Amino acid sequence: MSGRRRGHGEGSIYRRSDGRWVAVLDLGWRDGKRARKYFYGRTRDQVARKLARALARHQQGYGFPDERLTVEQFLGRWLEAKRGTVRSGTWTRYEELVRLHVNPRIGKRRLARLKPDQLQAFYSELQASRSPATVLKVHRMLHSAFKLAVRWEAIPHNVTELVLAPPTGQRHEFDTFTARHGAQLPQGGSG
């Protein structure tokens, strides 16, 4: 163990019985309860670095995401925030997209832990059963919602910006009826 004991407000580091290291940052009181942020790692140095970054962030006034907040819970808050700021038809469409498509598939996932590959898989799954236009609407809605989540410090970055290829509307090619495709155009005057 390191010889220096940490001062008040600097957090603490200890080793668990399973051998993993834990750093704990005390965030003060929130809603009548002591709030703490935990960081895990294989070595003491790993958690010490994580703790130092978190402490600097905390001292600069930045918050930490609520690790328990689910996508469904956040989108419920986002929908309430959007009410009255968009037309009622737009709000209704947002609510339907959340209720019918997002919540059943990724609603129970922790918002702060949602990964780009999980979102990409969600889009692919959705695209198998819905039109590309619907998938694009879901993506645009999530992009807007997660942008607010970043501003509210519920997540560190907008995961919709990290997907490999956001869904796009498909272009349809149509064959037109032309002489090149073997059609005979009527010739005048025979007969």
Side-chain angles (χ1 to χ4, degrees):
M1 284 233 177
S2 171
R4 182 172 108 53
R5 182 177 169 89
R6 295 185 162 276
H8 180 70
E10 291 182 341
S12 62
I13 296 177
Y14 63 91
R15 191 172 197 170
R16 294 179 2 163
S17 60
D18 66 3
R20 289 177 65 197
W21 286 89
V22 181
V24 184
L25 178 60
D26 188 341
L27 301 173
W29 292 89
R30 290 186 184 165
D31 301 324
K33 294 181 181 177
R34 196 64 142 164
R36 293 181 175 92
K37 179 77 176 159
Y38 294 85
F39 304 94
Y40 301 91
R42 283 180 276 170
T43 67
R44 187 179 198 292
D45 285 343
Q46 276 181 335
V47 296
R49 284 191 302 272
K50 289 178 183 179
L51 180 61
R53 284 192 301 267
L55 183 58
R57 182 175 166 80
H58 182 60
Q59 289 171 342
Q60 292 170 356
Y62 291 103
F64 293 93
D66 179 356
E67 296 287 331
R68 295 173 308 232
L69 183 67
T70 65
V71 171
E72 183 175 359
Q73 290 168 332
F74 175 76
L75 289 176
R77 294 175 187 174
W78 176 76
L79 282 169
E80 285 307 309
K82 290 302 267 187
R83 191 186 300 274
T85 66
V86 294
R87 290 183 292 186
S88 64
T90 301
W91 188 91
T92 300
R93 182 66 178 149
Y94 287 159
E95 189 277 331
E96 287 172 352
L97 292 171
V98 168
R99 180 173 36 87
L100 298 175
H101 304 300
V102 179
N103 285 348
R105 290 176 175 90
I106 61 170
K108 300 297 181 217
R109 291 193 180 276
R110 303 271 172 102
L111 179 65
R113 295 184 184 169
L114 185 62
K115 303 285 184 234
D117 62 325
Q118 295 168 331
L119 191 58
Q120 192 78 52
F122 163 62
Y123 289 153
S124 296
E125 180 185 328
L126 193 59
Q127 208 155 14
S129 62
R130 299 290 175 225
S131 73
T134 298
V135 179
L136 185 57
K137 286 176 187 172
V138 168
H139 170 73
R140 286 179 176 160
M141 180 205 59
L142 288 176
H143 184 267
S144 174
F146 293 168
K147 189 174 180 181
L148 185 61
V150 171
R151 285 182 32 208
W152 285 356
E153 296 181 354
I155 52 177
H157 55 269
N158 190 337
V159 72
T160 62
E161 295 173 354
L162 303 175
V163 293
L164 180 62
T168 59
Q170 289 181 341
R171 293 180 182 227
H172 297 284
E173 291 187 22
F174 296 96
D175 285 332
T176 54
F177 189 70
T178 65
R180 242 184 314 150
H181 287 101
Q184 296 294 318
L185 297 175
Q187 301 293 323
S190 68

